[in-house]
Amino acid sequence: KAQVNEDGTVKVDTVMEKIGQFFPSVIPLISAEDIAGSKEEEVITFLNVAVEEIFKAKVKELDEKAKLDGRPTGSLARSANYITLISMDNAWSDHLQNMENLKENVFLRKYQDLNPADEYKSESFAMFEGLLDKMRLNTIFSLWQSLAPAPVAQTA
C-alpha cells in the first residue's frame, strides 16, 4: 500500500525502484510510462506477465545451454527448490527465536492488566503471517538475484 497514491494510482518512482530491486532483468523491458496512471491491480497484472515471460525465456535459455553442454535440463527448477528450502529454513529459525522472545516478553503484560495468553495468541498469529510473507519475499528476491547477470569488472 505504500506504493499507492491517494487516488489509487501507483507511485511510479517507488514501484520502478522496487522492480529494479527484486526483478532487475525486467527493468530493460518496461518504462515508467508503462505503469504511469495505472491502478495497483493493473500494475500487478502487467508485471506478472512481464516477469513470467522473462522467467520462461531464462528457463528455455538455461535448458538449451544444458543440452548443448550434455547436462540434464531443469537446473533452474532445482535451484528454485534449493533457494526456497534455504529461505524457509532461515526464516523459520528466525521465527522460532522471535517466538521465544515473545514468550518471555508477553509474561510482563500481566502487569499491564492484560491476559498473557490472549496477547501471545494474537501476536504469535501476526508473527506467523509475517513469517509467510518473509519466506515468499526472500525466496523471490534470492531467485531473481541468482538470475541476474554477474557484474563485469571494469578496468581503468
Side-chain angles (χ1 to χ4, degrees), residues 12-151:
V12 176
D13 293 338
T14 306
V15 170
M16 292 298 290
E17 180 183 327
K18 290 293 181 185
I19 293 168
Q21 179 183 0
F22 287 97
F23 308 110
S25 50
V26 175
I27 288 293
L29 301 178
I30 62 171
S31 67
E33 292 80 33
D34 292 332
I35 60 173
S38 299
K39 302 281 186 198
E40 183 178 17
E41 289 301 317
E42 295 168 340
V43 172
I44 290 171
T45 301
F46 176 76
L47 291 176
N48 280 338
V49 170
V51 167
E52 190 172 332
E53 286 179 16
I54 289 174
F55 193 76
K56 285 180 181 178
K58 191 67 171 179
V59 168
K60 184 178 178 182
E61 174 189 329
L62 291 173
D63 284 349
E64 288 174 357
K65 186 176 179 183
K67 283 180 186 176
L68 291 174
D69 293 345
R71 293 180 284 118
T73 60
S75 65
L76 189 56
R78 288 189 302 277
S79 295
N81 287 340
Y82 177 76
I83 288 169
T84 301
L85 287 173
I86 295 297
S87 295
M88 290 174 70
D89 184 50
N90 290 339
W92 184 251
S93 296
D94 291 345
H95 178 71
L96 290 177
Q97 182 61 51
N98 290 337
M99 291 298 290
E100 187 64 31
N101 294 340
L102 176 62
K103 185 171 71 172
E104 293 171 7
N105 291 332
V106 81
F107 176 72
L108 300 174
R109 307 264 172 97
K110 71 179 181 180
Y111 298 114
Q112 297 175 322
D113 292 328
L114 299 171
N115 183 341
D118 290 342
E119 292 294 308
Y120 183 82
K121 182 179 174 182
S122 65
E123 288 197 32
S124 63
F125 183 74
M127 288 173 63
F128 184 74
E129 287 180 328
L131 167 71
L132 297 176
D133 291 341
K134 184 178 179 181
M135 285 180 185
R136 287 184 195 103
L137 188 69
N138 289 346
T139 299
I140 290 169
F141 181 78
S142 297
L143 179 61
W144 279 92
Q145 291 303 308
S146 73
L147 296 177

